[in-house]
Amino acid sequence: MTATFETAPTAGKPSPVEPLPHQILAVLGQHRMATTNQLHELLRPGVAHQTVSAPLNKLRRNGLVDYTVLPQSNRSRAWYLTSDGARLTRDFPALRGRPPYPINSATAASLKTPHTLTVLRSHLAFVTDARRRGDEHGHLDWTPEVAHPLSDGERIIADAVMHYTLIGDDERTKLRAFVEVDRTTMGSERLASKLIEYARLWSYEPQQIGRPRSRQAAAPGAVWLRWYPVFPRVLFVLTGATRYVLGNRISDLKAMVAEHPLVSALARQVPMGAAVLEDLEEHGPTSDVWMPLAGGELRPWTQL
């Protein structure tokens, strides 16, 4: 079996050797927050909920995690790392280089829950689909809040960067994507302008100032080549409004691709698409639920 691009970052299923409490801490360090049900579906689907809730309560008694109760949810809990938990996970191999953002109170947690949990919902749709298909996409193959530099000292922060491995009969194909999760809380034009930021990242080549410190010249090229062998796909996941409103927002994304010259150039090189979160959850991301932003019929995200 041959492999396209580099080795996959993690396996599709959590390691049976790694203790469940360690996995829970790693997930909360990676994703910032998760409900009990989300942790159950991510780490131990198909088993009793007590399998996950028991170690969660023990971690809370040890002062490593805490929770906030979600409003209008039949007292569902959203879990997060405490300061002590964040310090402990800082040295986990899977989280090295991941800045810790401990949440200091239930009030602070409640302000972060809507967007954070919606981003994790999007991840779970891909995880569930990967399990069904036999692809590789595990609980740490989705990194929220990833920042990359742009020109003029600015930066772009992706809601998530996804790593996904398609498993074929004789080939493993590595796919990556920048994922933007839109809950219809910002104006449609502001959402579409995110495409300009990705186009700027795609085209940004830092200028070398002064003479190199060594005789070996710095390798030229776009800044994104520091992290990716090819520029990741750009995926928009929309929710929080009627189909009519979400359809208009997707139309505005397509208009930005058609009208902005730099975004148009990006679209000729990089697959980009938009889909409704509820469609991903019901049908799966590899179903015909993605609208290509450069035009065309609905298709799977892997065929944009």
Side-chain angles (χ1 to χ4, degrees):
M1 180 180 287
T2 59
T4 308
F5 308 137
E6 81 271 72
T7 303
T10 65
K13 296 181 180 179
S15 167
V17 178
E18 190 177 59
L20 180 56
H22 186 287
Q23 292 180 341
I24 290 172
L25 292 172
V27 166
L28 295 179
Q30 180 89 335
H31 298 279
R32 311 305 188 200
M33 188 178 296
T35 67
T36 308
N37 285 338
Q38 287 176 330
L39 288 167
H40 178 260
E41 290 301 317
L42 199 57
L43 296 174
R44 294 295 186 272
V47 303
H49 277 68
Q50 183 67 16
T51 304
V52 172
S53 60
L56 271 171
N57 288 321
K58 185 174 181 179
L59 289 169
R60 183 172 184 262
R61 290 194 297 270
N62 292 334
L64 300 177
V65 305
D66 206 345
Y67 66 83
T68 184
V69 176
L70 300 178
Q72 300 177 341
S73 65
N74 196 24
R75 297 197 60 79
S76 295
R77 297 175 177 183
W79 297 86
Y80 56 90
L81 294 179
T82 63
S83 296
D84 287 343
R87 281 192 293 270
L88 178 65
T89 60
R90 185 171 50 197
D91 295 326
F92 283 12
L95 299 180
R96 285 174 186 163
R98 182 96 171 110
Y101 293 113
I103 299 172
N104 297 318
S105 69
T107 300
S110 66
L111 298 175
K112 296 176 178 291
T113 51
H115 186 73
T116 302
L117 297 182
T118 305
V119 173
L120 186 48
R121 272 181 64 193
S122 304
H123 175 42
L124 277 168
F126 284 91
V127 169
T128 302
D129 201 41
R131 286 177 181 146
R132 178 185 61 82
R133 292 169 45 87
D135 293 335
E136 296 177 5
H137 180 64
H139 60 297
L140 297 177
D141 289 329
W142 177 283
T143 308
E145 304 168 24
V146 178
H148 293 304
L150 300 174
S151 59
D152 302 322
E154 299 177 77
R155 63 178 185 162
I156 179 174
I157 302 177
D159 282 337
V161 172
M162 176 175 66
H163 295 260
Y164 192 104
T165 304
L166 287 172
I167 305 298
D169 293 336
D170 58 355
E171 186 176 67
R172 298 167 66 245
T173 302
K174 306 294 186 292
L175 300 176
R176 298 161 194 81
F178 293 119
V179 183
E180 292 295 323
V181 178
D182 172 45
R183 296 184 298 115
T184 326
T185 56
M186 66 174 71
S188 185
E189 184 175 351
R190 183 180 168 194
L191 174 68
S193 69
K194 193 80 177 187
L195 285 167
I196 301 176
E197 296 181 24
Y198 282 112
R200 290 176 60 197
L201 175 62
W202 172 70
S203 62
Y204 174 42
E205 296 189 15
Q207 298 298 314
Q208 298 296 323
I209 300 175
R211 185 175 297 178
R213 294 184 179 181
S214 65
R215 294 181 179 180
Q216 185 177 3
V223 68
W224 59 263
L225 286 167
R226 298 176 186 176
W227 303 281
Y228 312 106
V230 297
F231 196 84
R233 296 159 187 250
V234 181
L235 305 179
F236 287 82
V237 178
L238 296 87
T239 189
T242 64
R243 292 279 174 167
Y244 177 78
V245 170
L246 298 181
N248 286 339
R249 293 171 82 82
I250 293 174
S251 295
D252 289 345
L253 289 169
K254 294 174 66 176
M256 180 65 76
V257 170
E259 297 170 7
H260 193 286
L262 188 57
V263 177
S264 296
L266 172 66
R268 288 192 289 270
Q269 300 293 326
V270 176
M272 298 191 293
V276 175
L277 175 54
E278 287 75 13
D279 289 341
L280 302 186
E281 293 174 324
E282 181 178 356
H283 304 292
T286 50
S287 298
D288 294 337
V289 295
W290 293 88
M291 176 62 69
L293 298 186
E297 300 298 321
L298 293 172
R299 63 193 67 179
W301 76 277
T302 54
Q303 298 177 22
L304 289 169

